């Protein structure tokens, strides 16, 4: 991704070809020359990973998903137990 565009609040000043004596004699105000920054160029996307690297990445991702699945299954068991408790209380006619 290219860098964000940044423009300095101060104009860039470069020496002019006129000597200092001639510049002070001029009646018109002298403004510094402004040169805009060069254009930003397109950066091509990175090359795709090699099959070995992609396989390693996918296996690691699979392990992470399996760990998440175990956590979700434990959470689901807890929710199911709470649902059973609440149904039991409602059937007996009392509140928790």
């Amino acid at each position: 991704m290219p860098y964000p565009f940044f423009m300095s609040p101060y104009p860039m000043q470069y020496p002019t070809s006129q000597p200092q004596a001639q510049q002070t004699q001029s009646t018109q105000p002298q403004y510094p020359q402004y040169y805009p920054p060069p254009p930003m160029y397109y950066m091509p996307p990175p090359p795709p990973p090699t099959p070995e690297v992609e396989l390693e990445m996918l296996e690691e991702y699979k392990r992470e998903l399996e760990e998440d699945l175990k956590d979700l299954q434990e959470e689901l068991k807890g929710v199911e137990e709470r649902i059973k408790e609440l149904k039991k209380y409602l059937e007996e006619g009392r509140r928790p």
Side-chain angles (χ1 to χ4, degrees):
M1 184 164 119
Y3 293 104
F5 180 77
F6 174 78
M7 181 181 288
S8 172
Y10 306 104
M12 297 166 42
Q13 295 182 1
Y14 293 98
T16 59
S17 60
Q18 298 176 344
Q20 289 289 353
Q22 289 180 355
Q23 286 183 353
T24 57
Q25 294 174 357
S26 175
T27 57
Q28 295 181 349
Q30 294 291 322
Y31 296 106
Q33 294 180 355
Y34 171 74
Y35 295 98
M40 296 171 36
Y41 296 100
Y42 171 74
M43 296 295 292
T50 62
E52 294 84 12
V53 172
E54 186 176 4
L55 178 63
E56 184 179 325
M57 289 171 36
L58 287 174
E59 287 175 346
E60 182 178 341
Y61 183 58
K62 181 182 174 187
R63 283 191 295 273
E64 292 173 4
L65 288 176
E66 288 172 346
E67 290 174 7
D68 291 344
L69 180 62
K70 288 178 186 176
D71 292 340
L72 287 173
Q73 287 174 341
E74 290 176 10
E75 183 75 20
L76 182 62
K77 286 178 185 176
V79 170
E80 288 173 347
E81 289 175 8
R82 182 64 178 151
I83 289 173
K84 287 178 185 177
E85 289 176 10
L86 291 173
K87 284 184 180 181
K88 179 181 173 185
Y89 285 129
L90 291 175
E91 288 174 1
E92 294 176 358
R94 60 184 180 142
R95 301 192 90 164

